[in-house]
Amino acid sequence: MEHCVPTANGSAALLVALEALDVGPGDEVIVPGLTWVANASAVLRVNAVPVLVDVDPQTLCVSVDGVRQALTSRTGAICVVHLYSSMADMDGLRALADDAGVPLVEDCSQAHGAAWGGARAGTLGAVGVFSMQQTKVLTAGEGGAVITASGDLARRLEQLRADGRVFRRAPPPVGALELAELGEVTGANLAMSEVQAALLLEGLTRLEDENRVREDNASRLDVALAELPGVTPIRSLPGQTRRSYYHYVVRVDCRRFGRQDVAPFAAMLSAELGFPAERIYRPLNDHPLYRPSTRRSSALSAAYRAAVDPTRFRLPECDRAHDEVVSFHHRLLLGDDRDMDDVIGAFHKVWDHLA
Ligand SMILES: *Cc1c(COP(=O)(O)O)cnc(C)c1O
């Protein structure tokens, strides 16, 4: 990708990406039902309608069929999120988006360094969006970026995040700002600081090595944990050639222990390991932090208020994943062989106990 426009955070990156693609009132944006709330709330910020779609149970990312069924003549963008450690089916989604003439926004906030068919995550859509918030595998505490191959989009993105200004290509006169005033599109100040940028450039030199450590440890866990009946590590599709682990995620069939959901299993694992084992995101049609009706702008019209009501969507695979999947933050995967033995041992102990 030729162009990278840094932003204050990933949410700002999503916002300027949608604005650069000219998504606005009257448009729908397809958003996974299982993701961080920023994907849907960014759509509300441009007064468009988030259309929530169900996920593929193997990857936990949007399925091609789910997106196909949600496409309408009003679809202004498709937001794809590579969730936890898996990428969505980018061959199928790109073909679908090209046919429909709708841009793909590829959210790689959980996939720094991942690859599909040898191509890096973020280079497969119209724009690639990244977060460098404190929990992510590449971080400066806060931070974001949008990458694109399009010079026109980059020019809009730059102005949208710096009050209509762009970086000067030539060094500025002594004492002058590095920004040139263009004003082709009115933006806001959503810029990244130089201190953040310096931290990220340093972090980038470590990313490949750390990703490799996480990938090796995860492969070991995949093999060992799959030996337990009813325990299934989340897999990636054959097209994904590199995995990047934001969270390590495992599906546990809790019904076999007579449990409604994975909460008791996760609590016991946490106690055993002294490291949090967590449940994954609540689906966005039932998420306490995603309540469009709490925003004044949702009352633009009765029709808009009804359209943004997330409870109108059915997301059975998101619901099932929320009930069954247990997750660990990526720093668990930066441990050594003995740490991985501890994780495997803890799974066995909890499984034996519940069984
Ligand atoms: C973290 C995250 C964001 C939001 O990024 P912030 O930097 O916290 O604003 C957006 N999308 C996904 C998938 C994320 O994981």
Side-chain angles (χ1 to χ4, degrees):
M1 286 281 177
E2 339 269 345
H3 308 280
C4 175
V5 179
T7 58
N9 52 55
S11 304
L14 281 169
L15 176 63
V16 295
L18 292 172
E19 289 184 312
L21 292 167
D22 212 23
V23 175
D27 293 337
E28 296 172 349
V29 177
I30 294 176
V31 172
L34 195 66
T35 182
W36 179 237
V37 290
N39 291 103
S41 58
V43 177
L44 295 181
R45 287 186 181 276
V46 297
N47 297 321
V49 174
V51 172
L52 305 180
V53 301
D54 211 359
V55 295
D56 171 352
Q58 179 182 332
T59 60
L60 306 182
C61 304
V62 284
S63 68
V64 179
D65 274 345
V67 172
R68 187 183 291 114
Q69 283 162 25
L71 275 170
T72 74
S73 58
R74 291 180 301 280
T75 308
I78 300 168
C79 180
V80 177
V81 179
H82 304 310
L83 201 71
Y84 298 127
S85 62
S86 290
M87 291 180 72
D89 176 354
M90 292 310 288
D91 294 334
L93 290 168
R94 287 176 77 176
L96 193 62
D98 285 349
D99 275 354
V102 175
L104 274 182
V105 175
E106 207 191 343
D107 186 339
C108 310
S109 299
Q110 307 190 3
H112 310 71
W116 180 272
R120 293 286 185 177
T123 65
L124 298 156
V127 292
V129 168
F130 292 83
S131 164
M132 273 72 74
Q133 179 261 358
Q134 61 169 331
T135 63
K136 308 295 157 85
V137 299
L138 176 65
T139 178
E142 297 281 359
V146 188
I147 63 174
T148 180
S150 158
D152 288 344
L153 279 178
R155 192 176 163 109
R156 284 174 62 80
L157 286 163
E158 277 199 60
Q159 294 176 71
L160 286 162
R161 67 87 203 250
D163 282 319
R165 295 169 294 179
V166 295
F167 254 112
R168 290 180 197 264
R169 300 303 171 220
V174 175
L177 214 56
E178 286 171 307
L179 295 168
E181 298 184 353
L182 276 194
E184 293 165 342
V185 52
T186 295
N189 177 12
L190 302 169
M192 173 185 282
S193 76
E194 291 188 356
V195 176
Q196 286 168 289
L199 288 170
L200 290 171
L201 286 172
E202 203 281 326
L204 207 48
T205 65
R206 285 181 279 117
L207 180 66
E208 285 288 311
D209 287 344
E210 290 178 353
N211 273 352
R212 203 153 287 131
V213 172
R214 281 185 286 254
E215 221 175 357
D216 288 348
N217 279 329
S219 305
R220 234 194 107 199
L221 294 181
D222 282 352
V223 173
L225 299 184
E227 285 173 9
L228 286 168
V231 175
T232 319
I234 296 296
R235 287 176 297 145
S236 59
L237 295 169
Q240 186 170 352
T241 45
R242 284 296 307 275
R243 288 182 85 167
S244 169
Y245 288 82
Y246 170 58
H247 278 209
Y248 182 75
V249 273
V250 184
R251 192 183 287 273
V252 179
D253 175 12
C254 343
R255 302 258 144 69
R256 67 186 300 134
F257 309 119
R259 306 293 172 128
Q260 277 289 318
D261 59 49
V262 79
F265 201 98
M268 288 181 212
L269 274 178
S270 301
E272 200 57 44
L273 284 169
F275 186 98
E278 300 158 310
R279 292 183 70 180
I280 60 167
Y281 297 130
R282 284 261 286 270
L284 286 179
N285 62 355
D286 179 33
H287 196 293
L289 303 182
Y290 182 61
R291 298 271 183 259
S293 63
T294 59
R295 291 172 62 87
R296 174 85 193 272
S297 58
S298 296
L300 280 172
S301 69
Y304 185 71
R305 186 168 35 211
V308 298
D309 179 358
T311 63
R312 72 185 174 97
F313 299 101
R314 293 288 158 263
L315 305 167
E317 288 299 341
C318 298
D319 288 333
R320 195 162 73 85
H322 175 67
D323 281 345
E324 296 185 347
V325 178
V326 61
S327 97
F328 298 93
H329 185 252
H330 69 79
R331 67 184 188 278
L332 182 88
L333 297 175
L334 290 173
D336 57 20
D337 282 351
R338 276 181 39 211
D339 295 322
M340 296 312 112
D341 288 341
D342 286 347
V343 176
I344 296 162
F347 263 87
H348 276 269
K349 193 165 168 186
V350 171
W351 194 97
D352 286 345
H353 179 76
L354 282 173

